[in-house]
Amino acid sequence: MLSPNFFLDLTIMIVFATVLGLICKVLKQPLILAYVKAGIIVGPMTLGIINNLEDLALFSQIGVAL
């Protein structure tokens, strides 16, 4: 079951990935580095912006599928 803040968490994750992707593109680095860094920054171990582990598991499954 999705948490009430699922779409907010999804939006935050996409915004972080986009911003870091633009920075990596300017620095001529691979985009995969931006996506991994976004996941690390937003995850529960660093800033803890997204704490629901079920949502994080769903995000990872979506990322693998895409």
Side-chain angles (χ1 to χ4, degrees):
M1 179 154 185
L2 297 177
S3 69
N5 294 327
F6 175 77
F7 291 108
L8 176 64
D9 292 344
L10 181 62
T11 303
I12 291 169
M13 183 64 94
I14 290 172
V15 167
F16 265 89
T18 302
V19 169
L20 289 177
L22 291 173
I23 292 170
C24 279
K25 189 163 181 98
V26 168
L27 296 174
K28 297 181 181 174
Q29 297 297 316
L31 288 178
I32 190 70
L33 293 176
Y35 300 149
V36 171
K37 287 178 185 178
I40 292 170
I41 291 171
V42 175
M45 296 297 186
T46 53
L47 294 179
I49 296 173
I50 299 176
N51 288 322
N52 190 350
L53 296 179
E54 291 177 6
D55 287 348
L56 286 175
L58 184 60
F59 291 149
S60 67
Q61 292 172 0
I62 292 170
V64 169
L66 293 177

